[in-house]
Short mmCIF file of all heavy atoms in Angstrom, two decimals:
data_model
loop_
_atom_site.label_atom_id
_atom_site.label_comp_id
_atom_site.label_asym_id
_atom_site.label_seq_id
_atom_site.Cartn_x
_atom_site.Cartn_y
_atom_site.Cartn_z
N HIS K 295 -82.63 -2.56 -88.71
CA HIS K 295 -81.36 -1.96 -88.29
C HIS K 295 -81.40 -1.55 -86.82
O HIS K 295 -80.35 -1.49 -86.17
CB HIS K 295 -81.04 -0.76 -89.18
CG HIS K 295 -80.55 -1.15 -90.54
ND1 HIS K 295 -79.21 -1.36 -90.83
CD2 HIS K 295 -81.22 -1.42 -91.69
CE1 HIS K 295 -79.09 -1.71 -92.09
NE2 HIS K 295 -80.29 -1.77 -92.63
N PHE K 296 -82.58 -1.29 -86.30
CA PHE K 296 -82.71 -0.98 -84.88
C PHE K 296 -82.34 -2.19 -84.02
O PHE K 296 -81.46 -2.12 -83.16
CB PHE K 296 -84.14 -0.53 -84.58
CG PHE K 296 -84.45 -0.42 -83.11
CD1 PHE K 296 -83.68 0.38 -82.27
CD2 PHE K 296 -85.51 -1.13 -82.56
CE1 PHE K 296 -83.97 0.48 -80.91
CE2 PHE K 296 -85.80 -1.03 -81.21
CZ PHE K 296 -85.04 -0.24 -80.38
N PHE K 297 -82.99 -3.31 -84.28
CA PHE K 297 -82.70 -4.52 -83.51
C PHE K 297 -81.31 -5.07 -83.83
O PHE K 297 -80.63 -5.61 -82.95
CB PHE K 297 -83.77 -5.59 -83.77
CG PHE K 297 -85.12 -5.24 -83.23
CD1 PHE K 297 -86.22 -5.15 -84.07
CD2 PHE K 297 -85.31 -5.00 -81.87
CE1 PHE K 297 -87.47 -4.82 -83.58
CE2 PHE K 297 -86.55 -4.66 -81.37
CZ PHE K 297 -87.64 -4.57 -82.23
N GLY K 298 -80.87 -4.94 -85.10
CA GLY K 298 -79.53 -5.39 -85.46
C GLY K 298 -78.45 -4.60 -84.77
O GLY K 298 -77.47 -5.16 -84.27
N GLY K 299 -78.60 -3.27 -84.71
CA GLY K 299 -77.62 -2.43 -84.02
C GLY K 299 -77.59 -2.70 -82.53
O GLY K 299 -76.51 -2.72 -81.91
N ALA K 300 -78.76 -2.94 -81.94
CA ALA K 300 -78.82 -3.26 -80.52
C ALA K 300 -78.14 -4.59 -80.22
O ALA K 300 -77.39 -4.73 -79.24
CB ALA K 300 -80.28 -3.29 -80.05
N GLU K 301 -78.37 -5.59 -81.08
CA GLU K 301 -77.77 -6.91 -80.87
C GLU K 301 -76.25 -6.85 -81.04
O GLU K 301 -75.51 -7.54 -80.34
CB GLU K 301 -78.38 -7.93 -81.82
CG GLU K 301 -77.87 -9.34 -81.58
CD GLU K 301 -78.73 -10.40 -82.25
OE1 GLU K 301 -79.92 -10.14 -82.52
OE2 GLU K 301 -78.20 -11.51 -82.48
N MET K 302 -75.80 -6.02 -81.97
CA MET K 302 -74.36 -5.85 -82.18
C MET K 302 -73.68 -5.39 -80.89
O MET K 302 -72.64 -5.93 -80.48
CB MET K 302 -74.15 -4.83 -83.30
CG MET K 302 -72.79 -4.84 -83.95
SD MET K 302 -72.68 -3.57 -85.23
CE MET K 302 -74.02 -4.07 -86.31
N THR K 303 -74.27 -4.40 -80.25
CA THR K 303 -73.72 -3.87 -79.00
C THR K 303 -73.82 -4.89 -77.88
O THR K 303 -72.92 -5.03 -77.05
CB THR K 303 -74.45 -2.58 -78.60
OG1 THR K 303 -74.46 -1.68 -79.70
CG2 THR K 303 -73.78 -1.92 -77.41
N LEU K 304 -74.93 -5.63 -77.85
CA LEU K 304 -75.12 -6.62 -76.78
C LEU K 304 -74.10 -7.75 -76.89
O LEU K 304 -73.62 -8.26 -75.87
CB LEU K 304 -76.54 -7.19 -76.86
CG LEU K 304 -76.97 -8.05 -75.67
CD1 LEU K 304 -77.04 -7.21 -74.39
CD2 LEU K 304 -78.32 -8.71 -75.93
N LEU K 305 -73.74 -8.14 -78.10
CA LEU K 305 -72.72 -9.18 -78.27
C LEU K 305 -71.36 -8.72 -77.76
O LEU K 305 -70.58 -9.52 -77.23
CB LEU K 305 -72.64 -9.59 -79.75
CG LEU K 305 -73.83 -10.40 -80.28
CD1 LEU K 305 -73.73 -10.58 -81.78
CD2 LEU K 305 -73.93 -11.75 -79.58
N ILE K 306 -71.06 -7.44 -77.93
CA ILE K 306 -69.83 -6.90 -77.36
C ILE K 306 -69.89 -6.93 -75.84
O ILE K 306 -68.90 -7.26 -75.17
CB ILE K 306 -69.60 -5.46 -77.86
CG1 ILE K 306 -69.38 -5.46 -79.38
CG2 ILE K 306 -68.42 -4.81 -77.16
CD1 ILE K 306 -69.24 -4.07 -79.98
N ALA K 307 -71.06 -6.60 -75.27
CA ALA K 307 -71.24 -6.67 -73.82
C ALA K 307 -71.06 -8.09 -73.30
O ALA K 307 -70.47 -8.31 -72.24
CB ALA K 307 -72.61 -6.13 -73.43
N MET K 308 -71.56 -9.07 -74.06
CA MET K 308 -71.40 -10.47 -73.66
C MET K 308 -69.94 -10.89 -73.72
O MET K 308 -69.47 -11.69 -72.88
CB MET K 308 -72.27 -11.37 -74.54
CG MET K 308 -73.76 -11.14 -74.36
SD MET K 308 -74.80 -12.16 -75.43
CE MET K 308 -74.60 -13.77 -74.66
N ALA K 309 -69.19 -10.38 -74.68
CA ALA K 309 -67.76 -10.67 -74.76
C ALA K 309 -67.04 -10.09 -73.55
O ALA K 309 -66.15 -10.72 -72.96
CB ALA K 309 -67.18 -10.12 -76.05
N PHE K 310 -67.41 -8.87 -73.15
CA PHE K 310 -66.82 -8.25 -71.96
C PHE K 310 -67.17 -9.05 -70.71
O PHE K 310 -66.32 -9.23 -69.82
CB PHE K 310 -67.33 -6.81 -71.83
CG PHE K 310 -66.87 -6.12 -70.57
CD1 PHE K 310 -65.55 -5.73 -70.43
CD2 PHE K 310 -67.75 -5.88 -69.52
CE1 PHE K 310 -65.11 -5.09 -69.26
CE2 PHE K 310 -67.33 -5.25 -68.36
CZ PHE K 310 -66.01 -4.85 -68.23
N ASP K 311 -68.38 -9.54 -70.64
CA ASP K 311 -68.80 -10.36 -69.50
C ASP K 311 -67.94 -11.61 -69.38
O ASP K 311 -67.50 -11.98 -68.28
CB ASP K 311 -70.27 -10.74 -69.66
CG ASP K 311 -70.71 -11.79 -68.64
OD1 ASP K 311 -70.92 -11.43 -67.47
OD2 ASP K 311 -70.85 -12.98 -69.03
N ARG K 312 -67.67 -12.27 -70.50
CA ARG K 312 -66.84 -13.48 -70.48
C ARG K 312 -65.39 -13.14 -70.11
O ARG K 312 -64.71 -13.93 -69.44
CB ARG K 312 -66.89 -14.18 -71.84
CG ARG K 312 -68.20 -14.84 -72.17
CD ARG K 312 -68.60 -15.90 -71.16
NE ARG K 312 -69.27 -15.33 -69.98
CZ ARG K 312 -69.35 -15.93 -68.81
NH1 ARG K 312 -68.75 -17.08 -68.60
NH2 ARG K 312 -69.98 -15.35 -67.80
N TYR K 313 -64.91 -11.98 -70.54
CA TYR K 313 -63.56 -11.56 -70.19
C TYR K 313 -63.43 -11.39 -68.67
O TYR K 313 -62.47 -11.89 -68.07
CB TYR K 313 -63.21 -10.25 -70.89
CG TYR K 313 -61.96 -9.59 -70.36
CD1 TYR K 313 -60.70 -10.06 -70.72
CD2 TYR K 313 -62.05 -8.51 -69.47
CE1 TYR K 313 -59.56 -9.47 -70.21
CE2 TYR K 313 -60.90 -7.92 -68.96
CZ TYR K 313 -59.66 -8.40 -69.33
OH TYR K 313 -58.52 -7.82 -68.81
N VAL K 314 -64.38 -10.71 -68.07
CA VAL K 314 -64.33 -10.50 -66.62
C VAL K 314 -64.47 -11.81 -65.88
O VAL K 314 -63.77 -12.07 -64.89
CB VAL K 314 -65.43 -9.51 -66.18
CG1 VAL K 314 -65.43 -9.34 -64.66
CG2 VAL K 314 -65.23 -8.16 -66.86
N ALA K 315 -65.39 -12.68 -66.35
CA ALA K 315 -65.65 -13.95 -65.66
C ALA K 315 -64.43 -14.86 -65.68
O ALA K 315 -64.15 -15.56 -64.69
CB ALA K 315 -66.84 -14.66 -66.30
N ILE K 316 -63.68 -14.87 -66.77
CA ILE K 316 -62.55 -15.79 -66.92
C ILE K 316 -61.24 -15.17 -66.44
O ILE K 316 -60.43 -15.84 -65.79
CB ILE K 316 -62.44 -16.26 -68.38
CG1 ILE K 316 -63.69 -17.07 -68.76
CG2 ILE K 316 -61.18 -17.09 -68.60
CD1 ILE K 316 -63.73 -17.50 -70.21
N CYS K 317 -61.03 -13.92 -66.75
CA CYS K 317 -59.75 -13.28 -66.42
C CYS K 317 -59.74 -12.61 -65.05
O CYS K 317 -58.67 -12.44 -64.45
CB CYS K 317 -59.39 -12.25 -67.49
SG CYS K 317 -59.15 -12.96 -69.14
N LYS K 318 -60.88 -12.23 -64.54
CA LYS K 318 -60.97 -11.59 -63.22
C LYS K 318 -62.11 -12.22 -62.41
O LYS K 318 -63.06 -11.52 -62.02
CB LYS K 318 -61.20 -10.08 -63.38
CG LYS K 318 -60.10 -9.37 -64.15
CD LYS K 318 -60.39 -7.87 -64.26
CE LYS K 318 -59.32 -7.17 -65.07
NZ LYS K 318 -57.98 -7.22 -64.44
N PRO K 319 -62.03 -13.53 -62.16
CA PRO K 319 -63.14 -14.22 -61.50
C PRO K 319 -63.44 -13.73 -60.08
O PRO K 319 -64.61 -13.74 -59.66
CB PRO K 319 -62.68 -15.69 -61.49
CG PRO K 319 -61.19 -15.62 -61.60
CD PRO K 319 -60.89 -14.43 -62.43
N LEU K 320 -62.42 -13.31 -59.34
CA LEU K 320 -62.64 -12.87 -57.96
C LEU K 320 -63.40 -11.55 -57.89
O LEU K 320 -64.05 -11.24 -56.88
CB LEU K 320 -61.30 -12.73 -57.23
CG LEU K 320 -60.47 -14.03 -57.09
CD1 LEU K 320 -59.16 -13.74 -56.38
CD2 LEU K 320 -61.27 -15.09 -56.34
N HIS K 321 -63.34 -10.77 -58.96
CA HIS K 321 -64.01 -9.46 -58.98
C HIS K 321 -65.24 -9.47 -59.90
O HIS K 321 -65.79 -8.41 -60.18
CB HIS K 321 -63.03 -8.38 -59.46
CG HIS K 321 -61.78 -8.31 -58.65
ND1 HIS K 321 -61.73 -7.75 -57.39
CD2 HIS K 321 -60.52 -8.75 -58.92
CE1 HIS K 321 -60.50 -7.83 -56.92
NE2 HIS K 321 -59.74 -8.43 -57.83
N TYR K 322 -65.64 -10.67 -60.33
CA TYR K 322 -66.70 -10.77 -61.34
C TYR K 322 -68.01 -10.13 -60.85
O TYR K 322 -68.60 -9.29 -61.53
CB TYR K 322 -66.93 -12.24 -61.70
CG TYR K 322 -68.04 -12.45 -62.72
CD1 TYR K 322 -67.93 -11.94 -64.01
CD2 TYR K 322 -69.18 -13.18 -62.39
CE1 TYR K 322 -68.94 -12.14 -64.94
CE2 TYR K 322 -70.19 -13.39 -63.32
CZ TYR K 322 -70.06 -12.87 -64.58
OH TYR K 322 -71.06 -13.06 -65.51
N ARG K 323 -68.48 -10.53 -59.68
CA ARG K 323 -69.75 -10.03 -59.16
C ARG K 323 -69.69 -8.52 -58.89
O ARG K 323 -70.68 -7.81 -59.04
CB ARG K 323 -70.13 -10.78 -57.89
CG ARG K 323 -70.59 -12.22 -58.14
CD ARG K 323 -71.95 -12.23 -58.79
NE ARG K 323 -72.45 -13.58 -59.00
CZ ARG K 323 -73.63 -13.87 -59.50
NH1 ARG K 323 -74.44 -12.89 -59.86
NH2 ARG K 323 -74.02 -15.12 -59.67
N THR K 324 -68.51 -8.05 -58.48
CA THR K 324 -68.37 -6.63 -58.19
C THR K 324 -68.42 -5.80 -59.46
O THR K 324 -69.09 -4.75 -59.53
CB THR K 324 -67.05 -6.36 -57.45
OG1 THR K 324 -67.01 -7.15 -56.25
CG2 THR K 324 -66.93 -4.89 -57.09
N ILE K 325 -67.67 -6.28 -60.49
CA ILE K 325 -67.62 -5.52 -61.75
C ILE K 325 -68.95 -5.62 -62.49
O ILE K 325 -69.51 -4.60 -62.91
CB ILE K 325 -66.46 -6.04 -62.62
CG1 ILE K 325 -65.12 -5.79 -61.93
CG2 ILE K 325 -66.49 -5.35 -64.00
CD1 ILE K 325 -63.93 -6.37 -62.69
N MET K 326 -69.45 -6.85 -62.65
CA MET K 326 -70.70 -7.05 -63.41
C MET K 326 -71.90 -6.88 -62.47
O MET K 326 -72.69 -7.79 -62.25
CB MET K 326 -70.70 -8.43 -64.06
CG MET K 326 -69.56 -8.66 -65.03
SD MET K 326 -69.48 -7.45 -66.38
CE MET K 326 -71.01 -7.81 -67.23
N SER K 327 -72.03 -5.69 -61.95
CA SER K 327 -73.13 -5.39 -61.03
C SER K 327 -74.43 -5.22 -61.80
O SER K 327 -74.44 -5.06 -63.03
CB SER K 327 -72.82 -4.11 -60.25
OG SER K 327 -72.70 -3.01 -61.14
N ARG K 328 -75.53 -5.24 -61.07
CA ARG K 328 -76.83 -5.04 -61.71
C ARG K 328 -76.90 -3.67 -62.40
O ARG K 328 -77.49 -3.54 -63.47
CB ARG K 328 -77.93 -5.16 -60.66
CG ARG K 328 -79.33 -4.85 -61.16
CD ARG K 328 -79.75 -5.77 -62.30
NE ARG K 328 -79.86 -7.15 -61.88
CZ ARG K 328 -80.31 -8.13 -62.64
NH1 ARG K 328 -80.67 -7.85 -63.90
NH2 ARG K 328 -80.39 -9.36 -62.20
N ARG K 329 -76.28 -2.68 -61.80
CA ARG K 329 -76.29 -1.35 -62.39
C ARG K 329 -75.56 -1.34 -63.73
O ARG K 329 -76.05 -0.74 -64.70
CB ARG K 329 -75.62 -0.36 -61.42
CG ARG K 329 -75.60 1.08 -61.92
CD ARG K 329 -74.98 2.00 -60.88
NE ARG K 329 -74.94 3.39 -61.35
CZ ARG K 329 -74.45 4.39 -60.64
NH1 ARG K 329 -73.96 4.18 -59.42
NH2 ARG K 329 -74.45 5.62 -61.13
N LEU K 330 -74.39 -2.00 -63.78
CA LEU K 330 -73.66 -2.06 -65.03
C LEU K 330 -74.43 -2.85 -66.09
O LEU K 330 -74.47 -2.45 -67.27
CB LEU K 330 -72.28 -2.69 -64.82
CG LEU K 330 -71.41 -2.87 -66.07
CD1 LEU K 330 -71.13 -1.51 -66.71
CD2 LEU K 330 -70.12 -3.59 -65.76
N LEU K 331 -75.04 -3.96 -65.69
CA LEU K 331 -75.80 -4.77 -66.64
C LEU K 331 -76.96 -3.99 -67.24
O LEU K 331 -77.19 -4.02 -68.45
CB LEU K 331 -76.32 -6.03 -65.94
CG LEU K 331 -75.27 -7.09 -65.59
CD1 LEU K 331 -75.89 -8.18 -64.73
CD2 LEU K 331 -74.67 -7.69 -66.85
N ASN K 332 -77.70 -3.30 -66.39
CA ASN K 332 -78.79 -2.47 -66.89
C ASN K 332 -78.27 -1.39 -67.83
O ASN K 332 -78.89 -1.08 -68.85
CB ASN K 332 -79.56 -1.84 -65.73
CG ASN K 332 -80.33 -2.85 -64.92
OD1 ASN K 332 -80.73 -3.91 -65.43
ND2 ASN K 332 -80.57 -2.56 -63.65
N GLY K 333 -77.11 -0.82 -67.48
CA GLY K 333 -76.51 0.21 -68.33
C GLY K 333 -76.11 -0.33 -69.69
O GLY K 333 -76.29 0.33 -70.72
N LEU K 334 -75.56 -1.56 -69.71
CA LEU K 334 -75.15 -2.17 -70.97
C LEU K 334 -76.36 -2.46 -71.86
O LEU K 334 -76.31 -2.26 -73.09
CB LEU K 334 -74.38 -3.47 -70.70
CG LEU K 334 -72.99 -3.31 -70.09
CD1 LEU K 334 -72.41 -4.66 -69.72
CD2 LEU K 334 -72.06 -2.57 -71.05
#
């Protein structure tokens, strides 16, 4: 349940990443910064 719960959250983060990449491509690098990625 530890690894399952972590993967559940990570899949949501990956969905958010695809949303930013496709819907806001000009701001992708700014929004998906290293700090945000580490936080996710």
Side-chain angles (χ1 to χ4, degrees):
H295 284 270
F296 169 57
F297 292 120
E301 184 164 337
M302 198 181 301
T303 308
L304 190 66
L305 288 172
I306 296 176
M308 294 179 72
F310 175 72
D311 170 76
R312 289 301 84 202
Y313 168 78
V314 177
I316 296 176
C317 297
K318 301 180 182 296
L320 298 179
H321 305 284
Y322 179 63
R323 287 289 182 177
T324 303
I325 297 176
M326 300 303 295
S327 62
R328 175 60 65 174
R329 181 178 180 180
L330 178 61
L331 288 172
N332 291 333
L334 290 173

